[in-house]
Every structure is written in C-alpha cells, then in structure tokens.
Amino acid sequence: MSGMSAGRSAMRMGPAELVQAAAMARRFYLEGKSKIQIAEEFGVSRFKVARVLETALERDLVRIEIRVPAELDADRSDALRARYGLRHAVVVESPAEADESPDPENLGEVAADLLGELVTEGDVLGLAWGRSTIHMAAALDRLPPCTVVQLTGVYDAGTAERGSVEAVRRAAQVSGGDAHPIYAPMLLPDAATADALRHQTGIARAFEYFDKVTVACVSIGSWEAGISTVHDMLSEEERSHYASLGVAAEMSAHLFDAEGRSVGHDLGERCITVKADQLRRVPEVVAIAGGQRKAAAIDAVLRSGLVTSLVTDTSAADHLLMAGPAPKPALDRRDPDGL
C-alpha cells in the first residue's frame, strides 16, 4: 500500500481518513474479512466500507497486482481464448530454440497440470499419438481415478514402449484406472488391412471406448517433414497428392486445409485412429502444440472446431493472434450452458 498519488483527485483525505481507509483495505484485501465484518469492527455501515474501499483503489492507497508464474503469459492466454472461442488457452514462454524445435517439452509439463484440473473421477481420458502428448504423460503426477484409452495407433510399432502405448500406461498408473492401449501402427498399407486390425480383440476393445471419451489430448502437425508424423510415414507421391488438396495441418491422421476444412478423407480409411465426428462429440479436447513452424497448422485445426482447449507457446501465439479473421466460436459444442 502507498500514499495517495497526486492528481488522482482534487479532494484531499485527512490523516484520520487515510488511516481508516488503509486499515479497512488491509482487513479486506490481506486478511480476507468481509465488508460486514469490517463494518462491525469500525462501527459503520457496510455501504460506507464499500465506498472507502472504492476510494482506496481510486487514490492508489491500494494497488492490486495479478501475478502468474513467470513461464505463463496470462494476457496472450486470455486473448487466444477469446479469439478462438476456446474454453481454456494456456500460453507458456517459448524457449530460445523454439523456432527450431516445435512442441518444446515444457508444453507437456503445463498440459499435465491442466489435465490434473480438467479430469474428474470416472472420466474416460483419450490420448492420441504425438511427441507433445508423450511429454505430457511423462510429466503427469496427479489424476483422479479414470479410464485411459489410446486414440490412435503408433508411429512405429517398434517404439511402442517409448511412445503412445507407454503414455497410456503412465496416465493409467498415475490415476489408478484401467488402460486400453492399441498395439498397432497408425498407418496401414490399405483400407482392408486397417479394417481387419480394427476388428482384432484388443484393438476393438479400445475402439469401444471412443464414444465414451470425456477428455481427449491431441497433438497437431504441419504438413512438412519432421513436423507431422503422418507426413513422414507417407511416400513422396502420397505427400504431393495431399499437398495438392491444400493440406495445411494434421491431427490424429485427420487432414485440414488452412480454413479448417477436412480434406483427404481416404487417408483415414487406412489409419487406426478415432474418427473426427467422435472427437467433435468429446466435451473437452485439449491440443498441445507450439513453435512458429506449427503456428499456421494450429490455426487451421482451431478453425475446424474440433478443439476446445489449447496449450501453446508465445512463438505460436503471436502468429495466431494476427492470423486473419477470427473464426466463429461454437460454444454449444462444449457444454449445454455454452460456458
């Protein structure tokens, strides 16, 4: 608290008024007392207490600062949430090498904390393949009891222990709930092989949970080498074909153009993955993606309306906040009250 700043008001407060205002402000802001309690203590009405507190703010007797941890950018977070009609947007400081390294590990750490807030007992948590979701799962230290299901096959079945299968196991271990991993590649040579795998007992059991998922965690990839696992799994001819359709982004093997429209639907027939319509029905879909190289892809996926919450970094956020006209939010998708 500080003395009254010059120029804020033409009227001066006497020393008794200053002392009383400071005392009331201390009771209210620091000690957490109610206005009624303060009124009783000082022998005045609660309406006078309200006026004194208002005056204390106007005259700089009280200065309120809102602080969040240094790695979180509250202003960018709120601006992104409003721009895209998201339920939650969390922006973290980009590390120095962010432009070269999309999805820095600190995104996963913050996303792990966010899931700790969002997941409630009895939820079904779905995890899609992605470096960021793997980082998130490794950082998890709290989750209420919930079922955890894998939403996509793995990038490379030979690395399943270090990838999405292990992420599902880790999340289930932290929560104490059941795990339903998928031991299959994400991309298959043809639709018939993919369909056959979907009917295998273990995989079919995981697929049965897709319509029950209440919170999903996904990654986003740009349509370029090293920034999208699906892009990297395809042949050069296939990459060119989908690029000709205007693909700008990929999420869980679903492709989107710059306006967020779904394209290249035939690819999904060859993939072990949750359907886009199923994701759209999930109450909370959290995307984890950052870095300037992914910014345009993040914008495209957000415009699709499939994502309700985002964890990103300042490098991507600065691009997103200037990326063309803001899309129309679809609040009714998230909960009945549109909140």
Side-chain angles (χ1 to χ4, degrees), residues 148-185:
V148 186
V149 61
Q150 192 170 323
L151 296 180
T152 64
V154 299
Y155 172 46
D156 181 350
T159 63
E161 292 302 315
R162 301 187 300 275
S164 48
V165 169
E166 182 56 31
V168 169
R169 287 175 172 168
R170 167 65 182 168
Q173 179 184 33
V174 172
S175 74
D178 293 332
H180 295 278
I182 293 177
Y183 296 96

Side-chain angles (χ1 to χ4, degrees), residues 128-139:
W129 196 96
R131 298 180 189 91
S132 56
T133 52
I134 292 170
H135 292 156
M136 179 277 299

Side-chain angles (χ1 to χ4, degrees), residues 68-78 89-93 314 318:
V68 295
E71 69 271 16
L72 299 182
D73 191 311
D75 290 341
R76 285 184 175 93
S77 298
D78 190 55
V90 182
V91 178
V92 303
E93 282 293 331
T314 52
D318 286 342

Side-chain angles (χ1 to χ4, degrees), residues 202-226:
I203 298 173
R205 187 177 299 115
F207 267 61
E208 289 174 358
Y209 279 91
F210 286 2
D211 287 326
K212 304 174 185 177
V213 172
T214 50
V215 180
C217 191
V218 301
S219 296
I220 295 172
S222 299
W223 199 244
E224 58 179 298

Side-chain angles (χ1 to χ4, degrees), residues 9 13 29 66 103 108 132 134 141 156 198-199 216 220 234 268:
S9 174
M13 294 178 71
Y29 292 107
I66 300 173
D103 300 341
S132 56
I134 292 170
D141 59 11
D156 181 350
R198 293 188 195 104
H199 287 85
I220 295 172
L234 296 173

Side-chain angles (χ1 to χ4, degrees), residues 7 21 25-26 66 109 141 163 166 181 184 195 204 222 230-231 261 278 287 292 309 311 320 329 339:
R26 181 176 295 279
I66 300 173
E109 296 168 0
D141 59 11
E166 182 56 31
D195 187 60
S222 299
V230 172
H231 177 281
R261 295 181 291 251
Q278 289 174 312
Q292 189 172 346
S309 296
V311 178
L320 292 169
L339 300 176

